[in-house]
Amino acid sequence: MYMKLATAIAAAFVAYGTVAATTQATQGVTRTDLQRHDLSIEGRETVQARIDIEPGVTAPWHRHPGEEVIYVIEGVLEYQLEGRSPVALKAGQVLFVPSGVAHKAHNPGTTNGAELATYIVEKGKPLVVPAPHVEKH
């Protein structure tokens, strides 16, 4: 049902020519890109996406080439930033991830967890860069 809703929203944006949405899914984590735009800052762009994490699933350690602003829209998600203790956030709460800081997200609940992620990143670089070495510390 959640994917149908996300797909319907993305289709509405495409119909109006605002954004071409793409969906990427990996091991219980689905990212649906909602919009992408160049910024007035040279070499930077913003990407906004809905991230869905199934119950019991962890989005593994990763980094972004810029900042991530998170707004939890559904369920409870537990985030851990490199060098910090985990924090559990419920719908309506927010988190800021500084540029290049490795982090992971886990859904400890029994229902879907979802966030609205806004990335302010370097244009032309991969949006998500795995950071598996962090787990080994």
Side-chain angles (χ1 to χ4, degrees):
M1 177 176 157
Y2 299 108
M3 283 308 302
K4 287 182 183 178
L5 176 60
T7 303
I9 292 169
F13 279 118
V14 171
Y16 288 100
T18 305
V19 65
T22 59
T23 301
Q24 298 178 352
T26 307
Q27 304 168 14
V29 179
T30 303
R31 185 184 91 219
T32 303
D33 291 350
L34 303 172
Q35 61 178 330
R36 178 182 296 257
H37 298 282
D38 289 344
L39 294 175
S40 60
I41 302 167
E42 183 73 28
R44 293 283 185 171
E45 67 179 344
T46 185
V47 178
Q48 196 166 55
R50 177 185 170 119
I51 313 299
D52 287 276
I53 303 176
E54 294 177 9
V57 172
T58 298
W61 288 101
H62 62 281
R63 304 176 193 276
H64 305 287
E67 291 77 12
E68 179 181 10
V69 181
I70 297 168
Y71 177 79
V72 178
I73 55 178
E74 181 180 329
V76 174
L77 294 172
E78 182 179 275
Y79 296 92
Q80 185 171 5
L81 277 62
E82 186 173 15
R84 298 186 194 172
S85 297
V87 59
L89 302 177
K90 60 184 178 181
Q93 293 184 302
V94 298
L95 179 70
F96 178 81
V97 180
S99 180
V101 172
H103 57 287
K104 66 179 180 176
H106 174 72
N107 180 348
T110 58
T111 61
N112 189 62
E115 68 176 46
L116 178 64
T118 302
Y119 306 95
I120 303 146
V121 294
E122 293 179 55
K123 189 172 180 177
K125 291 198 174 181
L127 184 60
V128 178
V129 179
H133 67 283
V134 177
E135 192 72 49
K136 297 175 180 157
H137 282 123

